Amino acid sequence: MAVLDIHLLGSPVLRERAEEITVVDDELRAFIDDMYDTMQVASGIGLAANQVGVARRVAIIDAEQQTFTMINPRIVESSSVKEAAEEGCLSIPDMFAEVTRPNSIVLEALNEQGEPYRMEASGLVARAIQHEIDHLDGVLFIDYLGAMKRTLLVKRWKKDNQGEGLTRTPTPEEPEPAS
Ligand code: NI
């Protein structure tokens, strides 16, 4: 078991577009295992590789009793019905804001054996999938907020997190689910 450090807002890797994975091998699976350990300790419902400093296209979800790995994930369909709900992010602890996203999606990705799968998701699982794929594209949930609200929240967050550095070691004391 290895718990990885989580990169925080301000770390450049969170703004990188992660690279496609070409080989699904034991090395990747060991990294994914570490991602699961990290997400569990941090009480997360999702985690993208960028968040642990690796700009490769892999993310994991653990929401509403659905636990799965997404390698090179793509959203191939999105519902026109959208829903607003509060989101948080393990890379921006203690900041929460409402984000509007399609309520249901169809995902295509590879599993840990490198096999393609397709799944439909709605509600919180669909939201977490979209949030994690955004991470792989260098996008954060705060990017969806209005400029004024974002500036205010980021300013306040930076003030509260001064001196924390660009990474943190997760501890199992985080009550609110985030991804
Ligand atoms: Ni996040």
Side-chain angles (χ1 to χ4, degrees), residues 51 88-91 131-132 135 179:
Q51 293 182 277
C89 181
L90 296 175
S91 294
H131 179 114
E132 298 318 325
H135 272 301
S179 49

Side-chain angles (χ1 to χ4, degrees), residues 4 10 43 52 89 113 124 129 142 150:
L4 307 170
S43 304
V52 291
C89 181
Q113 276 65 52
L124 181 63
I129 291 168
I142 55 173
R150 182 173 61 242

